[in-house]
Amino acid sequence: MTLRLRAHHLSGLVAVLWLAASGSAWAQSGAATADLVGTVQDESKAVVPGAQITATNTATGVSRTVTSGPDGRFTVPALPVGTYTVQVELSGFGPQRAEVVLAVGTTVDVPFTLKIAAATEQVTVMAETPIIDVQKTAVGTDISQHQIENLPINGRNFISFSVITPGVAPDNTPQQGASATSGLTFAGQRARSNNITVDGLDNNDAVVGSVRATFSQEAVREFQVLTNSYTAEFGKASGGVVNIVTKSGTNTVGGDVFFYLRDKALNARGHFEDFDPAGNRINSPKAPYNQKQFGATIGGPIRKDRTFYFLSFERLDVSASNFVTIDDATPVRHPVLPVVFGTPAQILRNAGFPVEVGNVPYAVESNQFLAKIDHHISSGHTLTARFNAADTLNENIEPFGGLVAKSRAAALDSRDIMAATTLTSLISTTMVNDLRVQVADRDQKVLALDPRCAGPCDAFDEGGPTLEVTGFASVGRHRFTPQPRRNTRFQVLDTFAYYAGRHQIKTGVDFSYINNRDQALPLHFGGRYIFRALPLAAVGVPLPGTLSAIQAVALGVPAAYVQGYGDPSGGYKYSDISLFAQDDWRLTDRVTLKAGVRYQKQSWDDITYSIVGYPGSYGFPSDGNNIAPRVAVAWDPAGDKMTSVHASYGIFYDNHITGIFGITDIIDGQAGVRTFAAQLPDTRPVVAWNAPNRRLPEAALGAFPSLVISIDPGLDTPYAHHASAGIERQLAGNLAVSANVIYARGFDQLGTIDYNPVVRALAATGRLRPADTPGRPLSTASVLQYTSFGETWYKGLTLTAGKRFAGRSQFLVSYTVSEADDNSTDFQSAFIPQNNGVGRDPNNPNGLPIGFNPDDERGPSLQDQRHRFVFSGLCAAPYGINLSAIVTVASGRPFPILAGDDLNGDANGGAFPPDRPWRTVNDLSTTIGRNAGRLPVQASVDLRIGKRVTVGEIAVEGLFEVFNLFNRVNYTDVNNIFGTGAYPSSPVPTFGQFTQAGPPRQIQ
């Protein structure tokens, strides 16, 4: 049963927000700060009001002073993260002091017991920060500065630290490329459904749901990873949240200079340099590789105890390669005559498509710069300004390797500029306001690497065509390049909190405006050919038997031809707003109840859709009922702040990626992009194959039905139910253990359905598609609609043990056992369902197609990783030697097993029809399930050894890092084309052959 809160519940939201603004409240810790709370008592356990509590940042000297209330409690809110000296003083009592470490997003509770002053006053130094937060209810992990600075992270991408936390894994969505995701999946949810924030402000590319350019790892202070059940302050995500805090300057001038080097000579040989996909031993040259990563940071005071600066710069240069396994050894023979065409790679070259096999090089270059100033206007007002910029050239953004040639890949050339400012104002000891503002500009181009282009592939009709040879190769120009995109984002986020009593309430508003002023999507402008297995009769041979896809290339018989025309450019404006209120209520000293609500709404440009099969027209839908309540409870059963039992439930709304507006605006089949498609027995694919540049001009085609990509007229916002329950226990030796049960259930995820598919049963009526004109088969084309039918299912158990940095060591070890299912992979049309039904329901035009059942598509998610073990730890050994390691062992991910042919005759899927093999030939009811294959177990050990030498005030550290220490082969891709035989007994010879693997052992 699905729970949705409709628009008439808005009155409830208004009431909650009004209460939040007017009631007694005490805010939870912020997205970029932390709260210090506690109680002052005397030796008889009586509360002590009026005591003066001063928290001083040990690095900056900035202090904040408050007074304990009538109940002895005190709160020092919205403190920047860091280490603090907290001193409590009251006349007649001896002062006390504690050293406290405040991590981002935490509320640290430190009790003080004052003693009557003796003749000689003595300061008592108390214990450090408690290891666990007994009021915490979200499932998440804090990544400390010690971990960031000392663990071996391949590529020094600090967001990769997220995968050492339980419930988080690398994204496994295929064909990401220029529409890359965040790269992370939380509790099995989609990787576009996360929110990555920097200093409390969004750092996402809202067009596709990826991460905007970041900055050097050296500029990160710490961050928290929120996997499930976070509070209402965090939103715009039905998955998880990564909340990053940047470094600031201190009273001490300091910084570092760093240089990391990798080279081919330090790497082991890759698996496919010694073995081909069939497992035969070969002897390919060792892969070329060179990587240089260098930069510097510096920070210090502009005015001591008041104003500070911090600067960082990093440069990355990579010369690497991917291994292309397109067959260049096996002779391909004519199906009838005693003629050898050559190897598959030679056949493609003879057809005019350059194919490099083996180690094929690519380059990655980037520059990252950050500047930050913190100015403490007074003890209660702090102004922070941050500017960061990055530029990147990545020739592997549309990845190649395996059966994908480099000519089919594309490069990203991007530039990001971001400016942000934060004003934190302590209006009084009970009121705090946080105002955050940012402006971010992104300018990028995705250009094909097709060598047939004359220089950069920056013209819409340059290079090409795209060639898909099912089960053998993908070559030619990338089908939706060149793709320029320029947008500017403005974000304003304001939160207000009022502190009093046992309540903690925070309210806020978050508004973003994005101007996508330049974009283009030249879909198939270079042309696209699809070759797949055909009966011999298709080439005029009156014999039984089949022509393979690569034989069809040699004979010049494409199964289908697609060509785009028209105007692929456009632009649009977009905005979204969020409101939230959160109350953390300490019912007793042992029980905390958290209740919150969040509201989100996206607003779009005006647009009109008029599509075949839909009565009338409609605009881009606006979903205005996205009310997300959240509730949680935490219990400290013994009252000793050593154990936390907690449970949470809430609704979490995602934001639709804005790219769906731009795509549906451009691919309209009218004034925008018009797409011609033809397949055998139509002769035009063969005619086009033999035409100049292998393209037919639009004028030669006359009027033709065009593909349309449209939006669901009943579009709903994606959301998920999160629920969790767990226990955390602090042990001796700075050790804590925890166990959490996690549940996530997603709804209204975008998937693609053809609302006007080919239906062979309609042939007798003079139609082939439901919307065809009677008596005119194929008078209309496919209507691919982004539709809110996707669902996700996740349940998991995480077991964690961790030790914070003390006694010269720190570690985190976790084991996650889970199951993740879904019924769609992504919004892209490459993931169309096997059975699209038989057209739009005239009685419910906003609903699903007649005969389409989403439950038929349910299967293991590509994010499903049943078992995942991760250990990360570091140790400061004697003689200045530092050791650290990350060990990962995880189950293999699922992959789809495809027939490689259009078994159900609906003409959907292009080069890779979604049709799955059948257990009994010609019986569609015996089709195997979705994502039925599974890759082998993945395992790796990364190790770092460092030796530090200090000379005066300068420390020099030499580092030796090994990634994939034991040189394990971790397969990452497989030939998933089974063929049209009975499953599992009759596969084609290449089915199941591994085509790509992760990096071999690399030394840095």
Side-chain angles (χ1 to χ4, degrees):
M1 179 178 179
T2 310
L3 174 63
R4 292 301 304 267
L5 300 181
R6 294 296 170 187
H8 63 266
H9 290 99
L10 282 173
S11 59
L13 173 66
V14 173
V16 171
L17 293 178
W18 180 82
L19 287 171
S22 60
S24 295
W26 177 42
Q28 65 175 19
S29 53
T33 57
D35 291 344
L36 175 67
V37 303
T39 305
V40 183
Q41 299 177 325
D42 62 19
E43 292 180 279
S44 68
K45 303 300 182 183
V47 298
V48 177
Q52 181 175 284
I53 299 94
T54 301
T56 304
N57 188 302
T58 58
T60 64
V62 176
S63 63
R64 183 96 56 81
T65 300
V66 298
T67 302
S68 60
D71 58 357
R73 296 194 61 81
F74 67 89
T75 302
V76 189
L79 289 170
V81 297
T83 301
Y84 286 80
T85 299
V86 184
Q87 183 152 318
V88 180
E89 297 175 294
L90 183 64
S91 177
F93 293 89
Q96 288 198 358
R97 187 172 66 224
E99 295 296 321
V100 178
V101 178
L102 298 182
V104 59
T106 59
T107 298
V108 177
D109 192 336
V110 182
F112 289 90
T113 300
L114 298 182
K115 298 179 180 180
I116 301 298
T120 303
E121 229 171 46
Q122 182 177 1
V123 174
T124 301
V125 180
M126 299 179 58
E128 291 185 347
T129 315
I131 295 177
I132 68 172
D133 179 0
V134 294
Q135 299 179 50
K136 177 183 174 182
T137 57
V139 179
T141 303
D142 295 329
I143 307 298
S144 70
Q145 191 167 0
H146 281 293
Q147 291 167 294
I148 295 171
E149 291 179 349
N150 293 288
L151 288 177
I153 288 294
N154 198 346
R156 289 173 46 81
N157 179 358
F158 58 84
I159 293 178
S160 298
F161 281 103
S162 301
V163 300
I164 72 174
T165 65
V168 184
D171 177 29
N172 197 38
T173 306
Q175 300 180 5
Q176 295 173 12
S179 58
T181 68
S182 66
L184 302 170
T185 173
F186 292 75
Q189 304 307 294
R190 291 186 179 182
R192 300 189 198 277
S193 298
N194 305 323
N195 192 3
I196 313 299
T197 65
V198 175
D199 297 327
L201 290 160
D202 294 349
N203 196 63
N204 310 297
D205 184 342
V207 177
V208 294
S210 62
V211 183
R212 297 186 79 116
T214 53
F215 31 82
S216 173
Q217 179 175 312
E218 305 293 325
V220 179
R221 174 64 172 81
E222 62 184 82
F223 63 94
Q224 63 179 166
V225 181
L226 300 174
T227 306
N228 185 276
S229 301
Y230 35 89
T231 63
E233 182 177 1
F234 298 99
K236 293 184 276 190
S238 59
V241 172
V242 178
N243 185 28
I244 302 160
V245 177
T246 55
K247 285 182 179 177
S248 296
T250 67
N251 274 330
T252 303
V253 177
D256 57 20
V257 177
F258 54 91
F259 177 81
Y260 296 85
L261 172 68
R262 299 192 207 181
D263 191 74
K264 165 185 174 179
L266 301 176
N267 295 344
R269 289 176 59 83
H271 172 76
F272 289 107
E273 293 166 358
D274 293 329
F275 298 92
D276 67 14
N280 302 311
R281 182 168 287 278
I282 58 175
N283 186 25
S284 293
K286 190 176 181 181
Y289 192 87
N290 184 269
Q291 176 174 312
K292 300 181 183 70
Q293 208 163 1
F294 56 90
T297 69
I298 188 170
I302 297 175
R303 181 180 176 186
K304 189 175 181 181
D305 295 344
R306 179 63 64 88
T307 307
F308 310 92
Y309 71 92
F310 180 82
L311 302 171
S312 79
F313 171 78
E314 183 166 311
R315 166 77 180 180
L316 172 67
D317 285 295
V318 179
S319 297
S321 64
N322 290 331
F323 201 90
V324 176
T325 56
I326 296 172
D327 191 347
D328 201 13
T330 306
V332 176
R333 301 179 182 278
H334 191 284
V336 178
L337 302 176
V339 175
V340 176
F341 294 125
T343 67
Q346 288 170 342
I347 291 171
L348 294 169
R349 295 183 192 115
N350 292 339
F353 296 89
V355 174
E356 297 177 81
V357 298
N359 291 304
V360 181
Y362 68 87
V364 177
E365 301 171 2
S366 72
N367 296 288
Q368 300 171 326
F369 171 78
L370 179 141
K372 186 178 180 183
I373 292 179
D374 297 89
H375 176 58
H376 298 270
I377 302 170
S378 65
S379 61
H381 299 273
T382 300
L383 180 66
T384 299
R386 169 175 52 83
F387 173 84
N388 55 288
D391 62 73
T392 300
L393 173 65
N394 184 349
E395 292 185 341
N396 197 38
I397 194 67
E398 284 289 343
F400 65 96
L403 300 182
V404 180
K406 183 178 180 179
S407 65
R408 181 69 165 74
L412 171 69
D413 185 358
S414 69
R415 186 211 65 193
D416 275 279
I417 297 176
M418 285 161 272
T421 185
T422 301
L423 176 63
T424 301
S425 301
L426 189 65
I427 301 171
S428 70
T429 56
T430 59
M431 290 188 290
V432 176
N433 193 80
D434 247 352
L435 175 64
R436 305 176 191 274
V437 180
Q438 81 162 332
V439 180
D441 187 87
R442 182 171 178 82
D443 186 1
Q444 72 165 45
K445 298 179 181 68
V446 180
L447 303 177
L449 295 176
D450 186 355
R452 294 163 61 98
C453 295
C457 295
D458 51 5
F460 293 146
D461 60 352
E462 191 175 9
T466 301
L467 201 64
E468 317 282 10
V469 188
T470 305
F472 287 89
S474 294
V475 299
R477 170 181 146 175
H478 197 279
R479 60 195 181 97
F480 57 69
T481 57
Q483 188 185 146
R485 179 152 55 85
R486 178 83 182 268
N487 63 66
T488 303
R489 177 177 194 154
F490 304 89
Q491 183 182 15
V492 178
L493 190 157
D494 189 80
T495 58
F496 176 80
Y498 179 67
Y499 294 64
R502 288 183 172 270
H503 287 269
Q504 309 180 24
I505 298 181
K506 179 178 286 186
T507 61
V509 58
D510 181 356
F511 174 78
S512 289
Y513 170 82
I514 301 175
N515 184 0
N516 291 283
R517 57 187 181 277
D518 181 24
Q519 69 166 12
L521 189 61
L523 188 65
H524 306 307
F525 271 49
R528 184 188 189 197
Y529 288 90
I530 298 160
F531 289 85
R532 56 174 176 256
L534 297 170
L536 288 177
V539 293
V541 178
L543 294 173
T546 302
L547 186 73
S548 72
I550 195 66
Q551 288 172 328
V553 176
L555 294 173
V557 187
Y561 166 59
V562 184
Q563 181 69 56
Y565 308 96
D567 182 4
S569 58
Y572 60 94
K573 299 177 179 65
Y574 158 89
S575 64
D576 65 64
I577 190 168
S578 303
L579 307 172
F580 70 88
Q582 177 74 29
D583 181 8
D584 293 6
W585 178 15
R586 295 201 69 178
L587 294 171
T588 70
D589 287 341
R590 299 185 182 185
V591 180
T592 300
L593 176 67
K594 299 184 179 184
V597 64
R598 186 177 182 92
Y599 174 74
Q600 295 175 195
K601 188 178 188 305
Q602 296 178 268
S603 299
W604 310 86
D605 260 355
D606 291 332
I607 189 174
T608 299
Y609 296 94
S610 298
I611 56 176
V612 63
Y614 188 87
S617 60
Y618 61 95
F620 199 95
S622 182
D623 189 5
N625 59 357
N626 304 326
I627 303 172
R630 302 174 192 179
V631 63
V633 63
W635 174 41
D636 177 6
D640 58 1
K641 297 182 175 60
M642 301 284 284
T643 305
S644 173
V645 180
H646 52 86
S648 305
Y649 167 76
I651 297 177
F652 298 77
Y653 279 93
D654 198 359
N655 267 356
H656 275 299
I657 56 174
T658 69
I660 60 175
F661 184 99
I663 294 170
T664 57
D665 183 30
I666 291 174
I667 314 298
D668 63 355
Q670 301 173 27
V673 170
R674 299 176 294 278
T675 307
F676 168 78
Q679 61 180 325
L680 295 178
D682 191 319
T683 60
R684 285 177 291 186
V686 176
V687 172
W689 181 255
N690 293 295
N693 297 319
R694 301 201 190 278
R695 284 200 288 267
L696 294 177
E698 187 175 14
L701 297 171
F704 59 86
S706 173
L707 164 75
V708 171
I709 301 180
S710 66
I711 199 69
D712 186 348
L715 186 71
D716 286 321
T717 303
Y719 71 102
H721 297 274
H722 287 193
S724 65
I727 183 170
E728 187 173 13
R729 174 67 180 174
Q730 179 174 331
L731 305 177
N734 290 289
L735 181 67
V737 295
S738 66
N740 286 283
V741 176
I742 301 173
Y743 171 83
R745 180 77 166 87
F747 296 91
D748 294 338
Q749 307 290 319
L750 276 187
T752 303
I753 308 177
D754 188 349
Y755 272 71
N756 195 32
V758 171
V759 182
R760 300 296 178 185
L762 291 177
T765 68
R767 305 182 182 194
L768 277 179
R769 297 187 186 272
D772 281 347
T773 303
R776 292 180 56 197
L778 300 179
S779 57
T780 57
S782 289
V783 176
L784 299 181
Q785 179 175 294
Y786 295 147
T787 304
S788 302
F789 77 91
E791 298 182 42
T792 64
W793 295 260
Y794 178 90
K795 52 187 177 183
L797 168 67
T798 66
L799 303 174
T800 306
K803 177 183 178 294
R804 72 180 177 188
F805 190 77
R808 304 174 67 84
S809 66
Q810 178 177 4
F811 72 84
L812 175 67
V813 58
S814 67
Y815 169 66
T816 303
V817 56
S818 63
E819 181 179 356
D821 289 357
D822 61 21
N823 62 4
S824 64
T825 299
D826 199 20
F827 79 100
Q828 299 184 75
S829 60
F831 304 107
I832 199 166
Q834 175 176 264
N835 176 18
N836 289 260
V838 292
R840 196 178 301 272
D841 185 350
N843 298 315
N844 184 18
N846 289 1
L848 295 176
I850 298 171
F852 172 69
N853 184 357
D855 292 339
D856 292 341
E857 289 292 310
R858 179 174 175 175
S861 168
L862 294 181
Q863 314 295 4
D864 182 37
Q865 198 160 53
R866 298 296 171 89
H867 303 274
R868 183 174 176 84
F869 170 86
V870 182
F871 167 86
S872 61
L874 55 98
C875 174
Y879 307 108
I881 296 175
N882 297 309
L883 304 174
S884 63
I886 297 178
V887 180
T888 305
V889 182
S891 300
R893 302 286 191 89
F895 65 87
I897 297 177
L898 303 178
D901 203 352
D902 183 13
L903 301 185
N904 63 5
D906 65 0
N908 278 312
F912 304 104
D915 300 32
R916 304 185 288 270
W918 38 37
R919 299 183 188 277
T920 302
V921 175
N922 296 325
D923 185 355
L924 287 173
S925 67
T926 66
T927 298
I928 69 170
R930 183 168 160 271
N931 297 336
R934 194 169 286 269
L935 291 167
V937 169
Q938 308 281 297
S940 67
V941 176
D942 297 340
L943 177 69
R944 170 190 270 199
I945 303 173
K947 167 67 176 176
R948 181 180 292 264
V949 178
T950 302
V951 181
E953 296 183 352
I954 297 176
V956 178
E957 185 173 18
L959 297 175
F960 179 83
E961 294 178 301
V962 186
F963 304 105
N964 193 6
L965 174 65
F966 297 107
N967 198 31
R968 177 184 169 85
V969 179
N970 290 306
Y971 295 108
T972 58
D973 203 3
V974 63
N975 191 326
N976 64 340
I977 303 300
F978 180 86
T980 58
Y983 182 86
S985 59
S986 303
V988 297
T990 54
F991 171 72
Q993 294 182 355
F994 296 111
T995 57
Q996 292 191 70
R1001 180 174 55 245
Q1002 296 181 324
I1003 294 176
Q1004 176 167 273

